[in-house]
Amino acid sequence: MANHKSSLKRIRQTKVRTLHNKYYAKTMRNAVRKLRALTNKDEAAKLYPTVQKMLDKLAKTNIIHKNKAANLKSSLALHINKLG
């Protein structure tokens, strides 16, 4: 166990930040899953900007990597375009 005050504070901060990051990453995954499950092109196209904004925000705050965000946005756009 840590002995220094700063180490103890760092442990507390890490726990809070980890919980915060897990929440937003899980929310993002659910949004992507929901978009991929849609079969109606109009609904998917309407939801896409929201998911795209979410991915950009998470990449900006380093919760997910910027390349992961770009890959997800690209694959979702392809999915929407393939819908009939």
Side-chain angles (χ1 to χ4, degrees):
M1 184 63 196
N3 292 321
H4 293 282
K5 266 188 167 181
S6 60
S7 301
L8 294 169
K9 182 178 179 180
R10 179 64 54 207
I11 290 168
R12 288 195 310 270
Q13 287 177 332
T14 303
K15 283 182 186 175
V16 171
R17 287 192 182 132
T18 301
L19 191 64
H20 176 266
N21 291 345
K22 276 185 181 178
Y23 169 77
Y24 282 103
K26 183 67 174 178
T27 305
M28 178 266 308
R29 284 197 302 272
N30 287 337
V32 169
R33 204 173 287 136
K34 183 179 175 184
L35 183 61
R36 283 205 177 116
L38 292 176
T39 54
N40 185 353
K41 188 171 186 168
D42 294 333
E43 288 178 26
K46 195 183 288 186
L47 184 63
Y48 180 69
T50 310
V51 175
Q52 187 177 9
K53 185 177 179 183
M54 187 186 298
L55 289 168
D56 287 337
K57 279 187 176 181
L58 293 178
K60 183 179 170 187
T61 54
N62 289 323
I63 293 174
I64 61 172
H65 196 272
K66 62 178 183 167
N67 291 353
K68 180 181 178 72
N71 289 338
L72 282 170
K73 288 192 296 185
S74 174
S75 67
L76 290 172
L78 284 172
H79 171 72
I80 291 170
N81 287 334
K82 284 181 184 175
L83 292 175

